[in-house]
Amino acid sequence: MPETIPPDSVGIVTPEMAVFDEPLHLECGKQLDSYQLIYETYGELNADRSNAVLICHALSGNHHVAGYHSMEDRKPGWWDSCIGPGKPIDTNRFYVVSLNNLGGCNGSTGPNTTNPATGKPYGPDFPVVTVSDWVASQARLADSLGIECWAAVIGGSLGGMQALQWSIQFPDRIRNALIIASTPKLTTQNIAFNEVARKAITSDPNFHDGRYYEHNTYPSKGLMLARMVGHITYLSDASMGEKFGRDLRNQAFNFGLLDVEFEIESYLHYQGERFSKNFDANTYLLMTRVLDYFDPARKHGGNLAAALKGAKCRFFVASFTTDWRFSPERSEELVNALLEAKKQVSYMEIDAPHGHDAFLIPTPRYMDVFSAYMNRIAEETKGAS
Amino acid sequence: MPETIPPDSVGIVTPEMAVFDEPLHLECGKQLDSYQLIYETYGELNADRSNAVLICHALSGNHHVAGYHSMEDRKPGWWDSCIGPGKPIDTNRFYVVSLNNLGGCNGSTGPNTTNPATGKPYGPDFPVVTVSDWVASQARLADSLGIECWAAVIGGSLGGMQALQWSIQFPDRIRNALIIASTPKLTTQNIAFNEVARKAITSDPNFHDGRYYEHNTYPSKGLMLARMVGHITYLSDASMGEKFGRDLRNQAFNFGLLDVEFEIESYLHYQGERFSKNFDANTYLLMTRVLDYFDPARKHGGNLAAALKGAKCRFFVASFTTDWRFSPERSEELVNALLEAKKQVSYMEIDAPHGHDAFLIPTPRYMDVFSAYMNRIAEETKGAS
C-alpha cells in the first residue's frame, strides 16, 4: 500500500469494460457470438488520436499494467516500472491502453465466465484462441476507443508476439512494434516445459476435465506445480543462485524425505501456492497453447521474412543476455528476418542478470534505450498533431 | 534382443547378491542393521587384485551396466557403449563391478524392500542416505570381493559425485577417480527442478504419504511428471529441436485444449509413462535428495580445495559443452579446487550436442579421451601385477 501516490505513478485507476456483440470468428473455426474485454487507460488521447499505445500482456498478466486500484493495494500494476509520467512509456505524452486478453481470468470473457449457451462457466468449452484472434479482438477494442492507428504496440514475452502479429495482421494500424524478450516461435524445449505445466494441471484430480467450477474446487496442486516450473524458467541460474544459493531452512539438514530443506524449495512453494489461488487453471492451459501455436512463418513454409513482407511499421527488438526461456538468439532470428524483409529495425541485447524476468525490471541501460525509442515516437507524434 | 551377442559385448551376465549383517551407521544418524546390495561383475580380477574398477550409477541407473541378462533383452545395460572387450573400460583388462545403490529399487535394500521391523515395505521409513553412506556401503562390497584398492572409481552425473567422494573418504582405496558430467554441488536451479519432481510425486493422491505399496497402487502421474521435467533437463535445447522441432502429431492443429498437438509432447508422455512403470517413487524422492545434499565443501566452510586436501588419487574430469544441467562451469569449479589442492587432474570439455545425456553417448572424441586415460591405468596396473 502506498502511503502517498508516487509522482511518477499514473495514480488510482479504474478498469472499464467493453462489450462486443458482433461475432468474432476464431482461427480454430469456432466463433464467439459475444464477448467482453476489461481494460484500463492512462493518459489522454490527443486531438488527432495519434498518441495511443497498446500494451499486450504475457502468460499470467492482465489489464492492470500501472497505478493502483485503491490506496489499499499492496503493489501497483505489473509494468508500473515502465509506465507513468516521465517513465519510458510516458503517460504525459501517450494514451496507454491495456486489456485482459480473451480467455484470460481477470474480467474478460474466458473459461471462468458464463457461457450464455449453458448458463455455466465455459470451462473446457471455451474455444482455443490464438495470438491472431487476440489481435483481431484488440482491433475491435481500438475501434470502440476511436483509435485508427496505434503509435505503438508493445509487449514482452507473449506480449511481444502480439506486437509482432499486429505488424503482420493490421499493417496500416500500427506505426511501431516493440517486441521485448520474445520470439517468433517457441522452441521444442519451450513447448516441452509448457506441456509439463499442462500435464500437472490436468493430472490433478480436482481438474475434473476442466469443469472444476461446478465441483466448487480447482486443481490447486497442479497449478502450483505448473507455476513452479514456469518460475524456474523465468529466472536465470545465476540470479536464483545469488538470491537463494544453497541456503537451508534450518541450521542443518533434517534428513526427512518429505521435509523442506532448502530456502529455494519454500520460495517455490510460496510462489506456486499464491499463484494457484489467483489464477484460473483453464486460462493457464489456454495461454500455454497460445504460446505453442504462435508461428507466423508456418503459413509461409517456415519463411519468416515472407510472413513479414507486408509489415509497414518500424520495429524495436530487445533481448536479455541471461534469458534462457526466450534467448537473444530467438530475437536475432526475428531481427534477421526483418532485415531480410527490408524493414526498419532497432535491436538491443541488454546485459542483465535476471533471466526472462529482466523485461519487467528497470535496469538503467534497458530504460535508457526504451525511453529513447519511445521519445522518438512521441516527438513524431507531436509533429503530426 | 540381439540375434547374436556382439563381439565387443560382455555377453550374458547374471546379477549377484551380497548380504551385510553388520549395522551401517548413516549420516542422518540412523542405522541399517542389515542390508543387501545387488551387483554385477564383468572381466576377471587379476592375481594381485589391482585391476578392479567400480562403476557408480546416476539417478535412475542400476547395477546392470553392460551386457544382456538373456537373449530376449531388448537392450543391453545402460553404459554398454563404454564397457566391454576393447571399449574404453576394457573388460579384457579390467575387472568391472557395478551395483544398485542403497535406496535403489532394482534389488538392493530400499524403500520397496521389506523392513524387517514391520514385515512391510520400508516406504517413507527408509532412512535418507547420502553419497557418503553409499561410498561406505560400496567399501563393504569391495571388502567382500577382496578388493583393497580400486584401480578406478568411475561415474557420470550423480555417479561422478560418488567417485569424488571415494577420493575424499577412502584416499588409500582408490587410484583414479573419473568424474564425468558431474558437479561438486547442485546449483539452486538444480535443486529447484528436483523439488518440482518431488512435489509432483508427493502431490499425487496415489502417493499415500509414501505407503502406496500397501494400497496396491503407486503415484504414476506424479512420477511421470517428475520424469518429464528430468528428461527435459537431460537434453539440450538444440538436440530436442533437431529431433522433434515443432513437428505436429497430425497434419494441422486440433485446437483442442486437452489434445496432444506436438510430437515432443507425445515423446515426453511416452518417456514419463514408461519410466513410471519401472521405477519406484520413493527411490526417486531419495535419489533427488542424495543429489541435493552432496556438497563435500560444506564441512570445510565452503572450501572445496580444503575438502580435497587428503585425496591421493589422480582425477579425470570431463564435461560436455551443451550440458546445462551440470554445465562445464561446474566441472571447472571442481578442477580449480583440485589444482588449488595440488592434485593430479586431467580435464576435457567435450564438444557434444546431446546435453547432459552426452555422457552416455559414445561420441568419438569422448571415447578417445576416455580410452586413453583408461589405457594408462591398465598399463600401470599390468606393470604392478
Side-chain angles (χ1 to χ4, degrees):
Chain A
M1 161 173 58
E3 290 198 6
T4 56
I5 298 288
D8 63 352
S9 168
V10 298
I12 300 289
V13 297
T14 307
E16 297 178 74
M17 192 70 83
V19 179
F20 302 88
D21 289 322
E22 194 189 337
L24 184 70
H25 298 279
L26 304 170
E27 206 175 345
C28 66
K30 297 178 185 169
Q31 68 174 44
L32 279 171
D33 290 332
S34 65
Y35 58 94
Q36 60 182 30
L37 295 174
I38 192 168
Y39 67 99
E40 292 183 0
T41 68
Y42 323 121
E44 297 293 328
L45 189 60
N46 63 5
D48 64 359
R49 301 167 179 271
S50 64
N51 70 334
V53 166
L54 176 67
I55 309 295
C56 303
H57 69 74
L59 201 161
S60 60
N62 56 36
H63 56 287
H64 184 41
V65 183
Y68 301 85
H69 283 158
S70 80
M71 293 300 284
E72 277 67 51
D73 275 5
R74 210 169 48 86
K75 283 184 176 178
W78 58 265
W79 216 8
D80 195 83
S81 59
C82 287
I83 300 166
K87 291 181 182 171
I89 303 170
D90 188 343
T91 49
N92 289 331
R93 309 169 90 180
F94 292 108
Y95 175 64
V96 177
V97 179
S98 58
L99 77 158
N100 185 212
N101 278 320
L102 268 181
C105 55
N106 294 95
S108 291
T109 301
N112 69 346
T113 62
T114 302
N115 180 351
T118 64
K120 294 178 186 171
Y122 278 100
D125 300 328
F126 192 83
V128 173
V129 290
T130 63
V131 170
S132 171
D133 296 328
W134 280 348
V135 167
S137 70
Q138 289 161 0
R140 290 198 184 168
L141 179 64
D143 294 342
S144 77
L145 295 171
I147 298 160
E148 175 54 33
C149 184
W150 298 104
V153 179
I154 307 175
S157 192
L158 176 53
M161 293 177 175
Q162 296 161 60
L164 178 57
Q165 183 63 28
W166 262 98
S167 75
I168 298 169
Q169 196 164 332
F170 293 107
D172 294 317
R173 301 191 67 175
I174 171 174
R175 290 206 303 279
N176 292 274
L178 284 81
I179 300 161
I180 304 169
S182 191
T183 174
K185 62 173 187 285
L186 294 201
T187 65
T188 318
Q189 189 189 67
N190 292 147
I191 298 171
F193 277 123
N194 279 348
E195 179 58 13
V196 171
R198 283 189 292 264
K199 203 73 185 171
I201 290 169
T202 59
S203 296
D204 187 320
N206 286 336
F207 180 63
H208 295 289
D209 292 325
R211 303 196 191 280
Y212 46 86
Y213 318 98
E214 301 164 38
H215 293 78
N216 285 316
T217 185
Y218 64 98
S220 60
K221 288 181 178 167
L223 202 46
M224 177 186 178
L225 280 168
R227 182 60 168 187
M228 286 169 68
V229 173
H231 205 86
I232 298 171
T233 69
Y234 303 149
L235 304 176
S236 70
D237 191 6
S239 66
M240 282 180 103
E242 190 154 321
K243 200 164 174 186
F244 302 102
R246 295 177 50 88
D247 295 350
L248 301 182
R249 289 284 286 166
N250 301 305
Q251 297 266 317
F253 292 132
N254 286 343
F255 291 114
L257 206 51
L258 306 179
D259 291 338
V260 174
E261 295 275 25
F262 294 90
E263 288 289 357
I264 182 63
E265 299 173 67
S266 57
Y267 171 76
L268 287 175
H269 296 172
Y270 172 79
Q271 291 292 336
E273 272 170 21
R274 198 179 61 162
F275 185 78
S276 76
K277 288 174 188 158
N278 293 304
F279 206 80
D280 180 70
N282 282 318
T283 290
Y284 202 92
L285 297 178
L286 196 72
M287 294 287 169
T288 61
R289 271 300 181 213
V290 175
L291 278 162
D292 289 358
Y293 286 141
F294 185 68
D295 182 7
R298 183 180 281 269
K299 288 177 187 159
H300 299 268
N303 186 337
L304 183 57
L308 291 162
K309 196 179 165 198
K312 295 178 180 174
C313 68
R314 282 178 312 205
F315 292 85
F316 170 92
V317 180
S319 67
F320 299 89
T321 45
T322 57
D323 182 353
W324 62 279
R325 186 181 173 94
F326 296 156
S327 71
E329 287 73 21
R330 299 285 76 73
S331 285
E332 285 159 26
E333 189 182 325
L334 171 59
V335 169
N336 291 341
L338 287 166
L339 293 173
E340 192 188 331
K342 302 199 191 313
K343 305 299 166 188
Q344 284 189 59
V345 54
S346 303
Y347 174 58
M348 171 66 80
E349 181 181 329
I350 295 150
D351 199 355
H354 324 90
H356 188 57
D357 268 359
F359 87 85
L360 295 166
I361 295 165
T363 47
R365 182 75 177 146
Y366 172 35
M367 291 298 96
D368 288 350
V369 172
F370 198 171
S371 293
Y373 193 88
M374 291 306 296
N375 188 52
R376 196 173 73 167
I377 301 176
E379 290 297 323
E380 288 171 2
T381 303
K382 205 166 75 181
S385 68
Chain B
M1 161 172 59
E3 291 201 5
T4 57
I5 297 289
D8 63 351
S9 168
V10 298
I12 300 288
V13 296
T14 306
E16 296 178 75
M17 193 71 83
V19 179
F20 302 87
D21 288 324
E22 194 189 336
L24 185 70
H25 298 279
L26 304 170
E27 207 176 345
C28 66
K30 297 179 185 169
Q31 69 173 43
L32 279 170
D33 291 332
S34 66
Y35 59 94
Q36 60 182 31
L37 296 174
I38 192 168
Y39 67 98
E40 292 183 2
T41 69
Y42 323 121
E44 297 293 329
L45 189 60
N46 62 6
D48 64 359
R49 299 168 179 271
S50 64
N51 70 333
V53 166
L54 176 67
I55 310 295
C56 303
H57 69 73
L59 200 160
S60 61
N62 56 36
H63 55 287
H64 184 40
V65 182
Y68 301 85
H69 283 157
S70 80
M71 292 301 283
E72 278 66 51
D73 275 5
R74 212 168 48 86
K75 283 184 176 179
W78 59 264
W79 216 8
D80 194 84
S81 59
C82 287
I83 300 166
K87 292 180 182 171
I89 303 171
D90 189 342
T91 49
N92 288 331
R93 310 170 90 179
F94 292 108
Y95 176 63
V96 177
V97 179
S98 58
L99 77 158
N100 186 212
N101 278 320
L102 269 182
C105 56
N106 293 97
S108 291
T109 300
N112 70 345
T113 62
T114 302
N115 180 351
T118 63
K120 293 178 186 173
Y122 278 100
D125 299 329
F126 192 83
V128 173
V129 290
T130 64
V131 170
S132 170
D133 296 329
W134 280 348
V135 166
S137 70
Q138 290 161 0
R140 289 199 184 168
L141 179 64
D143 293 342
S144 77
L145 296 170
I147 298 160
E148 175 53 33
C149 183
W150 298 105
V153 179
I154 307 175
S157 192
L158 175 54
M161 294 177 175
Q162 296 162 61
L164 178 57
Q165 183 63 27
W166 262 97
S167 76
I168 298 169
Q169 197 163 332
F170 294 106
D172 295 315
R173 300 192 69 175
I174 171 173
R175 291 205 303 279
N176 292 275
L178 284 81
I179 300 161
I180 304 170
S182 193
T183 174
K185 63 173 187 284
L186 294 201
T187 64
T188 318
Q189 190 189 69
N190 292 147
I191 298 171
F193 277 124
N194 279 348
E195 179 57 14
V196 171
R198 284 190 290 266
K199 203 73 185 170
I201 289 170
T202 59
S203 296
D204 187 320
N206 287 336
F207 180 63
H208 295 289
D209 292 325
R211 303 195 191 279
Y212 46 86
Y213 318 99
E214 300 165 37
H215 294 79
N216 284 317
T217 186
Y218 64 98
S220 60
K221 287 182 178 166
L223 202 46
M224 177 186 177
L225 280 168
R227 182 61 168 187
M228 286 169 68
V229 173
H231 205 87
I232 297 171
T233 69
Y234 303 149
L235 304 175
S236 70
D237 192 5
S239 67
M240 282 179 104
E242 191 155 319
K243 200 165 174 188
F244 301 103
R246 295 178 49 89
D247 295 350
L248 301 181
R249 288 284 285 167
N250 301 305
Q251 297 266 317
F253 291 133
N254 286 343
F255 291 113
L257 205 52
L258 307 179
D259 292 338
V260 173
E261 295 276 24
F262 294 90
E263 287 289 357
I264 182 63
E265 299 173 66
S266 56
Y267 171 76
L268 287 175
H269 295 173
Y270 172 78
Q271 291 291 336
E273 273 171 21
R274 198 180 60 161
F275 184 78
S276 76
K277 288 175 189 158
N278 293 304
F279 206 80
D280 180 70
N282 282 318
T283 290
Y284 202 92
L285 297 179
L286 197 73
M287 294 286 168
T288 60
R289 271 299 182 214
V290 175
L291 278 162
D292 289 359
Y293 286 141
F294 185 68
D295 182 8
R298 183 181 281 268
K299 288 177 187 160
H300 300 265
N303 186 336
L304 184 57
L308 291 161
K309 196 179 165 198
K312 296 177 179 175
C313 69
R314 282 178 313 206
F315 293 84
F316 170 92
V317 180
S319 66
F320 300 90
T321 46
T322 57
D323 183 353
W324 62 280
R325 186 180 173 94
F326 295 156
S327 70
E329 286 73 21
R330 301 284 76 73
S331 285
E332 285 159 26
E333 188 182 325
L334 172 59
V335 169
N336 291 341
L338 286 165
L339 291 174
E340 192 187 331
K342 303 200 190 312
K343 305 300 166 188
Q344 285 190 58
V345 54
S346 303
Y347 174 57
M348 171 66 81
E349 181 181 330
I350 295 149
D351 199 356
H354 323 91
H356 188 58
D357 268 359
F359 87 85
L360 295 166
I361 295 166
T363 46
R365 182 74 177 149
Y366 171 35
M367 291 300 96
D368 288 349
V369 172
F370 198 171
S371 293
Y373 193 89
M374 292 306 296
N375 188 52
R376 197 174 71 168
I377 302 177
E379 290 297 323
E380 288 170 4
T381 303
K382 206 166 71 182
S385 68

